[in-house]
Amino acid sequence: EIAEGNLQYVKAEGNTAEIVALEKTFNAMVDSLKEKEIVEGNLRQAQRLSAIGNLAAGVAHDVRNPLNAIKLLSSHALDSLNAPENDHTAKQIRTIRTEADRLEDIVSGFLSLAKEEELNFEETSIDTILAECLRLMKKDAEMRGVNLTAELRAGDMPLMLDTAKMSRAILNVLINALEACPEDGRVRLFSRTSGDTCEVEIRDDGPGMDDETLERIFDAYFTTKAMGTGLGLSITRGIIEEHQGSVTISSSPGAGSQALITLPTSPPTS
Ligand code: ADP
Ligand code: MG
């Protein structure tokens, strides 16, 4: 039976020590064969998922070119139409434009999740990166009427970071904080060192989240926003983990949200 792949225990029903020992050995073999089946099953599943992943990345890549054409040509059409702000056709073309932008966000978000790029580590300080993020978000905060402030206290503690990716990771959290805030709300950015780690904290006084939402915020494609992609935080977590760091977000309804990013100050080993 076992030779035919029917992995069930044997029951020899003998009482001499040799037979009992044989039964035990035999059943241990059945166990390890079962284990091997599970491992092989997992492997097959992983191979299938990876094939699907490659396929999806290929599709996402191919969608980009026609998408760029749609963006470019709709902008040109809008220009040559030269119509007043509230013209019906102009409005429709503008919608095509913004929807194409949204598609592009989804596609690039997916691609940055799917591809395993080499990181470009360089020696820099976290405060340099945070100051740049602040500069980029200043206008956006002003337009929303949100008060964006920072206390950068990590000093020039040198860290090995991929500047572009780390900026992306922090911007995703900052953008969420700004999006969550009501007008006149406040987003605060802090940095500090603590032992051999460096901490970045982003606090907002938006509506906060219930536990059910909080549990899912790092899932790819989870969003509660009408125009959200749900990719921001999963990308952030990927990048922070590639830097051997961690990111946690705590929140409760009515109490705003607090994101804490912890990074090791010693250079990553891998
Ligand atoms: P997106 O911003 O596109 O929705 P994210 O991955 O950035 O995707 O965030 C996922 C979800 O987590 C958001 O839709 C929102 O429900 C929740 N979230 C994240 N940050 C905050 C925050 N600061 N305050 C309230 N909710 C938040
Ligand atoms: Mg987001």
Side-chain angles (χ1 to χ4, degrees):
E1 289 264 351
I2 289 169
E4 274 160 23
N6 213 343
L7 299 181
Q8 52 190 338
Y9 294 124
V10 294
K11 191 118 187 53
E13 279 168 11
N15 45 17
T16 53
E18 263 174 338
I19 301 280
V20 172
L22 185 64
E23 184 184 323
K24 266 196 190 145
T25 318
F26 214 88
N27 286 338
M29 182 184 80
V30 170
D31 276 336
S32 62
L33 280 173
K34 277 185 182 163
E35 233 166 72
K36 188 165 158 273
E37 267 203 344
I38 292 170
V39 170
E40 279 174 354
N42 287 346
L43 194 65
R44 269 196 302 275
Q45 171 79 349
Q47 277 166 345
R48 205 158 33 227
L49 282 179
S50 132
I52 294 170
N54 284 338
L55 191 70
V59 171
H61 212 266
D62 287 344
V63 162
R64 264 199 169 160
N65 287 333
L67 204 53
N68 282 331
I70 294 171
K71 281 175 61 178
L72 200 69
L73 293 178
S74 53
S75 293
H76 283 173
L78 202 58
D79 286 345
S80 51
L81 193 62
N82 201 10
E85 188 68 11
N86 58 355
D87 178 80
H88 187 60
T89 311
K91 264 192 197 160
Q92 288 177 326
I93 299 179
R94 235 174 273 128
T95 308
I96 294 178
R97 192 49 235 244
T98 51
E99 291 296 291
D101 278 342
R102 220 164 85 73
L103 268 177
E104 158 125 276
D105 274 356
I106 295 171
V107 167
S108 5
F110 175 80
L111 282 173
S112 65
L113 265 189
K115 73 182 159 203
E116 290 174 26
E117 272 183 350
E118 284 275 305
L119 268 76
N120 260 323
F121 287 112
E122 54 181 335
E123 195 175 294
T124 178
S125 79
I126 192 71
D127 285 358
T128 313
I129 291 178
L130 295 177
E132 177 62 12
C133 291
L134 276 172
R135 200 183 62 76
L136 287 171
M137 294 317 296
K138 215 175 138 215
K139 189 113 208 119
D140 196 60
E142 260 169 34
M143 266 160 47
R144 292 170 189 276
V146 174
N147 183 8
L148 175 62
T149 59
E151 285 174 37
L152 305 183
R153 301 265 159 77
D156 35 24
M157 160 85 76
L159 296 185
M160 292 302 287
L161 304 172
D162 181 313
T163 306
K165 286 204 162 186
M166 189 50 69
S167 303
R168 173 84 338 241
I170 289 160
L171 282 174
N172 287 350
V173 181
L174 262 182
I175 291 169
N176 282 346
L178 288 172
E179 284 175 345
C181 271
E183 229 182 296
D184 282 335
R186 207 157 59 133
V187 172
R188 287 176 295 164
L189 174 63
F190 302 90
S191 72
R192 64 184 90 88
T193 53
S194 152
D196 55 3
T197 63
C198 180
E199 291 177 356
V200 177
E201 203 180 325
I202 295 163
R203 310 177 75 96
D204 67 70
D205 51 14
M209 288 171 262
D210 56 26
D211 286 347
E212 231 171 68
T213 308
L214 200 54
E215 247 174 52
R216 303 181 58 193
I217 55 172
F218 288 105
D219 293 353
Y221 302 107
F222 172 77
T223 181
T224 57
K225 300 170 190 169
M227 296 293 252
T229 61
L231 290 175
L233 289 181
S234 47
I235 290 172
T236 292
R237 179 145 82 178
I239 294 172
I240 300 296
E241 285 178 355
E242 281 177 313
H243 284 81
Q244 262 91 49
S246 67
V247 49
T248 54
I249 294 184
S250 52
S251 180
S252 55
S257 303
Q258 304 83 44
L260 181 67
I261 296 171
T262 307
L263 295 166
T265 52
S266 47
T269 42
S270 59

